[in-house]
Amino acid sequence: MKLIVANFKMNLLIKDIHNYLEVIEQKLNKDQVIFCPNNLHIKYFSEKNYLVGSQDISFQEYGAITGDTSINQLKEVGITYTINGHSERRQYFLDNKYINKKVKLALSKQIKIILCIGENLKAFEENNTFSVLKDQIDNALKDNLNYINETNLIIAYEPIWSIGTGKIPTNSCLEKTILNIKTYLKETYNLNLKVLYGGSVNLENIDSLQEVSEIDGYLVGSLSLDPNKFLTLINKINN
Ligand code: PEP
């Protein structure tokens, strides 16, 4: 079964969430999909026993960090996962130091991590994809190996140039990059981790993406905002 993560980013209002929940009711496998709505909407999904993740956590467990949301507050409303290192967070708010701290904090609190990694267009064009990914992996995992196992960390490979742009890597490129990620994790850290693909997944490209055997699931942004389209996507993935 392929895992599917829905990242709503800053979209949707409470009325949309209620409508969304009505549309998907009884129509998906609750072990397959992890919803990552805005923090204000997490409880609506967790109350109905969907798997829920936050889009980020504060790097500190407690303290005076205005505007952040702590892991304990997020756990209280029902998350069991958190996205860490999404490229939009890396761009505006984070450096690798915080991503590394968040890995430790989340795993020590039994919250599973969806770690986003991905290269920008320049790195892709200059054939530097793998060295960027390797650095991102090393930075996140450094000193955290005691906490990590094969069920509590999932990698999401998201080329930055694919997110929200409609452009995706070719299948052979994806096959190679994801295999490189898995081989590196196995050889360096002795970890067999699931690797998801994220970036402009839609109803037009999903059949082709499904031919990439190394993809263990998908992280879906824009398309997940429409519950009917999202259900159609899940059906295509499962058939
Ligand atoms: C994302 O938000 O990580 C993402 C993959 O978005 P989109 O599907 O819209 O490209």
Side-chain angles (χ1 to χ4, degrees):
M1 183 176 72
K2 293 208 165 138
L3 196 63
I4 302 163
V5 179
N7 176 15
F8 290 180
K9 309 192 188 195
M10 267 199 327
N11 298 294
L12 306 181
L13 300 175
I14 290 174
K15 67 175 174 21
D16 307 315
I17 296 291
H18 288 311
N19 174 56
Y20 199 106
L21 288 165
E22 260 175 45
V23 175
I24 64 171
E25 175 121 42
Q26 315 272 351
K27 297 210 182 88
L28 49 78
N29 176 347
K30 287 185 168 168
D31 294 327
Q32 182 176 27
V33 183
I34 303 163
F35 288 99
C36 301
N38 179 275
N39 287 345
L40 295 170
H41 303 153
I42 284 173
K43 66 174 183 192
Y44 299 110
F45 284 87
S46 60
E47 273 166 8
K48 294 199 178 273
N49 297 318
Y50 290 101
L51 291 173
V52 193
S54 56
Q55 297 171 17
D56 202 358
I57 54 171
S58 178
F59 69 95
Q60 267 187 208
E61 185 177 351
Y62 309 102
I65 307 187
T66 302
D68 263 15
T69 308
S70 81
I71 186 141
N72 294 329
Q73 292 166 329
L74 291 162
K75 267 185 89 163
E76 189 173 53
V77 287
I79 66 159
T80 50
Y81 287 83
T82 182
I83 296 176
N84 188 5
H86 191 281
S87 62
E88 289 151 13
R89 304 296 304 178
R90 288 184 195 258
Q91 181 184 353
Y92 297 116
F93 303 108
L94 293 173
D95 63 28
N96 284 320
K97 181 172 89 194
Y98 293 127
I99 291 170
N100 179 275
K101 282 185 173 207
K102 289 175 187 191
V103 170
K104 186 174 293 162
L105 177 59
L107 296 184
S108 69
K109 295 273 171 186
Q110 284 75 49
I111 297 299
K112 298 176 184 171
I113 291 180
I114 301 151
L115 177 69
C116 295
I117 57 174
E119 79 287 0
N120 62 22
L121 189 59
K122 183 168 181 287
F124 176 75
E125 286 174 347
E126 292 173 356
N127 278 325
N128 283 331
T129 296
F130 195 62
S131 80
V132 172
L133 302 182
K134 193 174 131 335
D135 281 356
Q136 291 172 340
I137 292 170
D138 290 341
N139 270 304
L141 270 54
K142 190 174 51 185
D143 302 328
N144 289 332
L145 284 176
N146 286 346
Y147 297 89
I148 298 170
N149 62 49
E150 291 169 7
T151 61
N152 65 14
L153 180 65
I154 298 163
I155 305 289
Y157 170 53
E158 302 207 293
I160 297 170
W161 53 274
S162 292
I163 297 178
T165 60
K167 295 186 200 144
I168 62 172
T170 61
N171 281 5
S172 63
C173 187
L174 276 175
E175 199 86 68
K176 188 174 133 213
T177 305
I178 296 178
L179 186 60
N180 279 342
I181 294 169
K182 289 182 179 177
T183 307
Y184 181 70
L185 286 164
K186 179 71 195 163
E187 287 178 353
T188 314
Y189 297 104
N190 197 27
L191 286 169
N192 290 306
L193 299 186
K194 282 196 193 314
V195 180
L196 315 181
Y197 167 73
S200 296
V201 173
N202 61 37
L203 296 176
E204 285 71 52
N205 59 28
I206 191 64
D207 290 336
S208 168
L209 283 168
Q210 283 285 92
E211 288 165 15
V212 181
S213 64
E214 293 296 342
I215 293 179
D216 299 313
Y218 301 94
L219 197 162
V220 186
S222 324
L223 184 122
S224 70
L225 297 175
D226 177 327
N228 288 302
K229 287 188 183 161
F230 191 48
L231 288 172
T232 307
L233 182 84
I234 295 170
N235 285 334
K236 275 175 167 273
I237 291 168
N238 289 340
N239 285 328

